């Protein structure tokens, strides 16, 4: 007689946004009893698996603990289901590097000051930059007419001016971040929703 097998979790994936990462998966369906899950990690250098703080959890996701969130590390994860004495086979994720595989959200527009010929924009980044992060803002702006010609500015500071504008005219802009990581790879963030402001009348 073969012993009953517990199926492994499916749709196992790493979700990473603004350098915050978690492992998530679909629940394993069983007739009775509640399935628990255990996740483990190891870094590219070590053969040994360590706990992620998610051992025998009923949840279907597990946040990365700080020691796994180091941005440049290559991390391997594995997950299995457990029901009483039964355990499923381990499901392994492909190698993951937070620096390369995270999605960057849009920056937040804190304030916009209008004058006749310019807009002064203040932003805050979508994540807390580490010292020395070469973070840049790509600003697209256009006059709100039928044929919008988009002009792009590249700024490394969070307060900057869009100049040479017509007075009493509606202009729209959208911003995204760009971060050059150590390998020379460029992470491009998501675009912010367009925001429109009318310049002042002199």
């Amino acid at each position: 007689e073969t012993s009953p097998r517990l199926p492994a979790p499916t749709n196992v994936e790493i979700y990473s946004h603004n350098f915050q990462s978690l492992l998530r998966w679909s629940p394993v369906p069983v007739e009775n009893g509640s399935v628990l899950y255990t996740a483990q990690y190891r870094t590219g250098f070590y053969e040994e698996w360590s706990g992620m703080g998610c051992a025998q959890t009923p949840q279907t996701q597990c946040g990365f603990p700080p020691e796994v969130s180091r941005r440049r590390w290559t991390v391997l994860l594995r997950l299995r289901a457990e029901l009483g004495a039964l355990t499923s086979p381990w499901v392994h994720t492909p190698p993951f590097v937070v620096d390369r595989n995270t999605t960057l959200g849009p920056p937040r527009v804190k304030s916009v000051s209008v004058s006749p010929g310019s807009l002064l924009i203040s932003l805050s980044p979508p994540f807390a930059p580490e010292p020395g992060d070469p973070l840049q803002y790509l600003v697209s702006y256009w006059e709100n007419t039928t044929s919008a010609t988009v002009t792009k500015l590249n700024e490394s500071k969070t307060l900057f001016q869009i100049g040479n504008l017509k007075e009493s005219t509606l202009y729209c802009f959208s911003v995204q971040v760009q971060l050059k990581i150590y390998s020379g790879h460029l992470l491009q963030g998501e675009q912010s929703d367009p925001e429109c402001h009318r310049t002042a009348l002199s």
Side-chain angles (χ1 to χ4, degrees):
E1 226 182 280
T2 57
S3 63
R5 292 293 300 270
L6 186 64
T10 55
N11 302 321
V12 179
E13 60 166 7
I14 295 169
Y15 171 77
S16 185
H17 190 72
N18 292 334
F19 300 109
Q20 303 292 314
S21 310
L22 53 87
L23 181 68
R24 56 188 188 186
W25 57 91
S26 297
V28 172
V30 290
E31 301 266 312
N32 45 27
S34 59
V35 177
L36 301 176
Y37 304 93
T38 293
Q40 296 180 338
Y41 78 93
R42 70 181 182 84
T43 58
F45 309 108
Y46 296 104
E47 291 302 307
E48 196 144 317
W49 291 94
S50 306
M52 285 176 63
C54 297
Q56 299 186 321
T57 173
Q59 309 286 332
T60 54
Q61 63 178 46
C62 175
F64 281 31
E67 65 272 17
V68 189
S69 296
R70 300 234 169 94
R71 286 185 10 190
R72 296 182 188 186
W73 282 14
T74 300
V75 180
L76 302 154
L77 305 181
R78 67 178 188 175
L79 173 77
R80 74 177 183 190
E82 301 167 8
L83 179 64
L86 295 179
T87 57
S88 79
W90 288 103
V91 181
H92 292 255
T93 65
F96 176 81
V97 182
V98 178
D99 241 1
R100 291 202 171 174
N101 301 108
T102 200
T103 309
L104 298 180
R108 195 169 64 83
V109 178
K110 287 180 10 190
S111 67
V112 178
S113 314
V114 300
S115 64
S118 67
L119 298 175
L120 186 66
I121 299 170
S122 170
L123 298 172
S124 61
F127 60 94
E130 291 187 350
D133 266 349
L135 191 62
Q136 291 217 306
Y137 297 90
L138 196 61
V139 189
S140 311
Y141 68 96
W142 58 95
E143 192 181 327
N144 196 20
T145 55
T146 44
S147 58
T149 52
V150 171
T151 312
K152 295 201 166 170
L153 280 178
N154 215 337
E155 292 287 341
S156 53
K157 44 197 191 304
T158 54
L159 181 67
F160 56 85
Q161 195 165 38
I162 301 176
N164 299 326
L165 305 181
K166 298 178 196 163
E167 61 179 60
S168 191
T169 303
L170 196 61
Y171 285 92
C172 301
F173 67 87
S174 169
V175 199
Q176 64 186 139
V177 292
Q178 289 181 327
L179 175 65
K180 196 174 232 161
I181 59 171
Y182 65 99
S183 59
H185 181 72
L186 195 66
L187 276 182
Q188 195 103 318
E190 295 165 337
Q191 198 99 21
S192 68
D193 291 334
E195 201 171 298
C196 302
H197 295 266
R198 188 174 293 280
T199 51
L201 194 58
S202 60

